Every structure is written in C-alpha cells, then in structure tokens.
Amino acid sequence: MKVISPRVHGYLDFLTVAIFLFSPILLGLSQIPAIFAYVLAVVHLIVTLTSDFPFGVVKLIPFTIHGWIERLVGPSLIALPFIAGFANEEIARNFYIAVGLVIIVVGLLTDYQGVVRDKKI
C-alpha cells in the first residue's frame, strides 16, 4: 500500500537532509560518522532538488529513479558503520541503522508512480 504521496515524500526528504545536517552536533558524532552525515545531507539535498517531483527544482532525475536511489541508500546506511569501521560507536551505529530502516520503510510506502500519473491527467 503506497500511502506516501510524492509531495509528502518531498517534505520527508527535506527532513532527512536536516537530520543528517544536525545529527553530528546533536548526537556528538565522531569525525568519520560526522563527515558521512554532512556528505549525505548534501547528496540527499542535491538528489531532492534535481528530482522530477513537486519539490524538484531542476527535474533531471525521474522520481522512479529517485526511488531506486533510496532503495540502495537504505541498506547501505545500515551497513555503513560496519564497512567504515565505526560499528563500535553505539550512538553512531544506531543512528545509521535507524535512518537506514526509516528510509527503507518510507521507500516501501511511497507512491513513486504518483508523479507519472499526475502528468497524464
């Protein structure tokens, strides 16, 4: 069941950018997890602003591709602490696992075809 519209997904994308941007300060992340958080904030903002959906400014990336990017990012975030060597840092590890799980759930609930249907009307 796809209960998240493209517009609501856009709000969640900006919330995700803010979470990545402020997590190093709010959670006291060490250098490596903090750098990843800042980079992910920038990358997520770029993907959001260049996607073809209500919040896209440049509309280069079809929203369905935006969805596939997030389908890859969610599991990657869960694996990141173990790959990048900070799995022993409980707060950072749990943060990345939690954000990865949320991105997976949002991806499963988002109607990535909604933009395509709206353009046909």
Side-chain angles (χ1 to χ4, degrees), residues 67-77 103:
W68 282 107
I69 292 169
E70 290 180 347
R71 286 180 184 99
L72 294 172
V73 168
S76 298
L77 290 175
I103 287 175

Side-chain angles (χ1 to χ4, degrees), residues 21-98:
L21 188 61
F22 296 114
S23 64
I25 296 163
L26 296 175
L27 299 176
L29 300 180
S30 67
Q31 186 175 9
I32 298 296
I35 290 169
F36 276 115
Y38 291 131
V39 169
L40 286 163
V42 171
V43 170
H44 204 89
L45 181 61
I46 290 169
V47 169
T48 299
L49 294 176
T50 59
S51 291
D52 187 7
F53 79 127
F55 289 95
V57 176
V58 182
K59 301 188 186 295
L60 296 174
I61 302 171
F63 193 48
T64 53
I65 300 299
H66 178 113
W68 282 107
I69 292 169
E70 290 180 347
R71 286 180 184 99
L72 294 172
V73 168
S76 298
L77 290 175
I78 293 170
L80 184 62
F82 306 96
I83 294 168
F86 59 88
N88 60 334
E89 297 179 37
E90 185 178 1
I91 292 173
R93 179 191 65 229
N94 292 346
F95 168 73
Y96 279 97
I97 290 172

